[in-house]
Amino acid sequence: MNYLDLPTPLPTAPLQFRAIQYAAPEPGFKLLVTGAVHGNETCGTRGILQVLQEFESGQLQLVKGSVTFVPITNPLAYQKRQRSGDRNLNRNLGPTDSPIEFEDRIANWLCPIMAQHDGLLDLHSFHTGGQAFAMVGPRNNNGVLEPFAHDAAEEAMALRLGVTRFVDGWLDTYARGVARRVAEYGTGGDRKNVINTDPRYGVGTTEYMRSRGGLAITLECGQHDDAQSPHVAYTAIKNTIASFGLIDSPKPEPVAQREMLSLYEVIDKTNPADGFSKAWASFDAVKKGEQIGTRANGDPIVSNEDGYIVFPNPKAESGQEWFYLAKRTDRLDK
């Protein structure tokens, strides 16, 4: 079966957690690959299932290390065919002694698995059109928010996925957004507001993986329904396995063409009537002073400098991130 080009949705998943691991007799890098962290993002699931089929048929075989696949990370959201089950799994991720939402129970299962691995490839897709891109972590730093010491290794991993666009700046941008929420809404109230104003709100799979000492890349494989997105996921998995020498295959060369952007602002939707000025797609260019949208009260939302819009979500809920702004950096320049 070719999982990459199935014309119908994949079968509904039962409410159980499933990981499939292959391990070679020889030690080596321990890779974790996750799909469907968001239930309506199935390109990673399809890519994983295709690679699993190749392992089962003997077409692929590990020569060292191990690789663990989680095809459907959030089975509740996957059943619902929507982004979240009870809440967004990829926010405020961490184990808890007092699980409330279904995603808390996923975290209690998933986080110990993540801590047993050296690296994570997390496969996603996005709402509006645009080309695939990889999100990488911060530069090496000793800060409080996201200390990190492996930027060169993570960049090398990202440059061999098969995509040419790269983005950083996630967690510090999110921290600024959370600070604005706290200033506007406080930290009490209902469960939703408590989560949204938690300083850990920006911590998802990759941030948690880095906090455990590992490498982590989020690959946004394209628009949710783009027929090429599963192929992007599949190629990235194969390239990553080869990059770390887990299979007997040449190590991919880093992409020569590369574009690096850095997130610097996140804008929340504050009212269901907030609206965009046009049908934005990720990485559409915006000029300083250009109107991006309009608040429910008629106030315009404009870009404060030249840059790009990222993850515009017309269906965002009030109090949730609506879109991001990014600008070019020279981080990956040769």
Side-chain angles (χ1 to χ4, degrees), residues 220-284:
E220 297 285 349
C221 300
Q223 197 274 337
H224 296 328
D225 300 320
D226 188 335
Q228 289 303 307
S229 296
H231 294 266
V232 173
Y234 169 78
T235 297
I237 297 168
K238 295 282 291 288
N239 283 3
T240 303
I241 293 170
S243 294
F244 289 112
L246 305 186
I247 58 176
D248 187 13
S249 181
K251 184 175 181 178
E253 291 295 324
V255 292
Q257 179 187 348
R258 57 190 72 168
E259 177 185 41
M260 185 77 209
L261 302 176
S262 186
L263 299 174
Y264 71 89
E265 189 73 272
V266 56
I267 304 298
D268 288 348
K269 180 175 276 192
T270 59
N271 187 294
D274 292 348
F276 285 123
S277 59
K278 68 176 188 179
W280 294 100
S282 277
F283 303 104
D284 279 348

Side-chain angles (χ1 to χ4, degrees), residues 128 274-287 290-294 301 307-309 311-315 322-323:
T128 55
D274 292 348
F276 285 123
S277 59
K278 68 176 188 179
W280 294 100
S282 277
F283 303 104
D284 279 348
V286 291
K287 295 291 186 182
E290 182 176 358
Q291 186 166 343
I292 296 171
T294 305
I301 304 168
Y308 302 86
I309 190 168
F311 292 138
N313 182 5
K315 298 181 180 179
W322 189 17
F323 65 92

Side-chain angles (χ1 to χ4, degrees), residues 31-54:
L31 176 68
L32 175 65
V33 183
T34 50
V37 164
H38 295 134
N40 60 338
E41 302 177 15
T42 63
C43 60
T45 304
R46 293 170 185 265
I48 288 171
L49 292 176
Q50 186 67 30
V51 173
L52 286 173
Q53 181 172 269
E54 294 179 10

